[in-house]
Amino acid sequence: MKILWDKINKKYELSWLSALIAFSGIFVFTQNIVFWRTVLNLVPFDSIQDYLFVGVMLIVLLSLMAILFSLILWSRRLTLVILIMLLSLSASFNYFSYHYQIYMDRDMLTNIIETNTLEVVNLLNGELLAWIILGAVVPFWLLTRIQIKPVVWWKGIMQRLCLVTGALVIISGTLFGLNFYKDFASFFRNNRQVVKLIMPSSFVASYVSYAKKNYSQAQPFKELGEDAELVKPVEQKKTLMIMFLGETARRQSFSLNGYEKNTNPKLSLQENLVSFQNVVSCGTATAVSVPCLFSKMTRAEFDKVSAENQDNVMDVLQKAGYKVLWRENDNGCKEVCNRIPTQNVSDYTSAKPSAGVLYYDEYLLEGLDNYILAQDPEDNLVIVLHMNGSHGPTYYQRYPNNARVFTPTCDTNRIETCETEVLKNTYDNTIAYTDDVINRGIELLKRYQDQYETSMLYVSDHGQSLGEKGFYLHGAPYMIAPEEQTSIPLIFWGSDEFYQNRNLTLSCVQKKAQQENYSHDNIFHSLLGLLQVQTKEYNPKLNIFTEC
């Protein structure tokens, strides 16, 4: 046994050159399971050329990995620390990408960095642990068998130069010398998302992009709406609007939009309510969509760092004289509420959280009556309620037992193991519960119609995939994201007086809601228009309600 153990535990002393090649091989073969699975599914293997193409891809990937490690691994002491970090990240990513069709880019990395502890806990399970053990711990043990020989600094640099040069020659020779460039160009042009599956280069590239955006491009704060003023006749009542900011709700699961299950039994009975049928989100993750939808910037020009360094529509409303309040029940407002009064549900409710950590969205309404009654009668009010909504994968924890309308349900975080209809039942329960909470908000507003012109706007930050085309959850790169992740609900309700004093025609709004295409780009200007705020920042062409 001792002899066997000694052989297993034997260490191999290698030069930097050999060690970097070994590291590259270990990562290419153990940390790119999803990449290779995707490639093998996409290549038709109709001819010998297809087999040669995959072989050349292996050579190119090994060469590129050698270049990457030559650039990031310099210290013998830090090498193992960096490698175990990359192995752990790669193994975890492979698990989620394998099961949920997740792709790594800057937006996904931002989402990961800004994910709170609760969301991490919801994702943990035994299979993930097994993936990390097999995908990170075992390869790391292999890496610890390698001892790097000490070398004079200039020789180390020369070895790296030789490795990088050799790798570039190999890449050039295989792509151009063997005439495979056209195959690579065609394959990756038609399947650009595949590059985002390569580990650990996708993590490294995403982090470099993230750091560049967040640290290298620091910008002075840009004031918007300094000229903002509320323009409404003196005889009009004050305004009270509640805006529900939904989380992970997709348009396709709302019966108001034609879904076969009755997920909106209460809102469908509300008069003066309009559900917009064709609305798309700015992004596929909260970290992008929330700041984008409140920003003046359109999706085409949106930049997260710029958004954080300028006023958003909530700031402009506050400058115009509105008293604003943000209530939070998700994982943060993504910098949108930095300059306005904010309350977290956990700060004011006496209710106990579900599953020990989660508060149901109904608690966003707790104490709102007292808040409204405590305000000066001359104040115009806007209240934003950021819901936990339909956040996955633990959909079953997002609603109380009495809201469990559709059964059977998928009561696990391993949603890929549930039958499609069972998973949809669970998700649909979150939508039905959202319907109930919004309806409660409208009923609350009705109690104040004698004092205020009241209205409600509901919009989701992005959608959600439930296994369609192999995708689960959200966060797919926008250019390949399925419509389930980008098609979102947008619902508006207003009191009779609210409609009348803005000369809004309900039938016109309903017609536009059925026929026209809208997006998060419209939210900034629609809010300013509905709330009668005049400023040079306002563009009536982007106000959904202008023509009505």
Side-chain angles (χ1 to χ4, degrees), residues 68 80 87 139 156 181 198 207 211 225 260 277 394 518 529 534 539:
L68 173 66
L80 283 181
L87 283 169
Y181 176 77
I198 301 175
Y207 182 77
E260 62 271 15
Q277 303 296 301
T394 53
Y518 299 108
Q534 183 174 296
N539 182 354

Side-chain angles (χ1 to χ4, degrees), residues 238-242 372 381-383 445 448 452-455:
K238 298 302 176 182
T239 299
L240 168 59
M241 171 183 274
I242 292 179
I372 295 169
L381 309 177
V382 175
I383 302 167
L445 289 168
Y448 294 95
Y452 296 94
E453 299 171 346
T454 56
S455 63

Side-chain angles (χ1 to χ4, degrees), residues 313-332:
V313 70
M314 299 308 298
D315 299 308
V316 176
L317 291 174
Q318 189 166 247
K319 290 177 182 180
Y322 273 91
K323 188 160 188 179
V324 298
L325 173 67
W326 184 289
R327 281 193 162 187
E328 181 61 46
N329 194 34
D330 197 40
N331 62 341

Side-chain angles (χ1 to χ4, degrees), residues 51-81:
Y51 290 92
L52 292 174
F53 171 71
V54 174
V56 169
M57 186 179 293
L58 173 62
I59 294 171
V60 170
L61 188 57
L62 281 167
S63 301
L64 290 173
M65 210 65 71
I67 294 173
L68 173 66
F69 286 129
S70 296
L71 296 175
I72 66 174
L73 299 178
W74 288 86
S75 168
R76 293 170 62 208
R77 293 181 179 179
L78 290 178
T79 290
L80 283 181
V81 175

Side-chain angles (χ1 to χ4, degrees), residues 226-280:
E226 294 298 294
D227 62 333
E229 61 177 330
L230 186 56
V231 181
K232 62 188 300 184
V234 176
E235 64 274 14
Q236 267 187 235
K237 293 176 184 176
K238 298 302 176 182
T239 299
L240 168 59
M241 171 183 274
I242 292 179
M243 178 179 180
F244 285 95
L245 175 56
E247 168 64 39
T248 323
R250 63 188 203 169
R251 181 195 62 79
Q252 293 88 343
S253 296
F254 280 64
S255 56
L256 285 171
N257 299 326
Y259 187 45
E260 62 271 15
K261 292 182 187 175
N262 189 12
T263 52
N264 300 121
K266 296 182 178 179
L267 290 181
S268 61
L269 300 178
Q270 287 285 358
E271 296 180 357
N272 294 351
L273 185 134
V274 181
S275 180
F276 293 82
Q277 303 296 301
N278 305 296
V279 187
V280 295

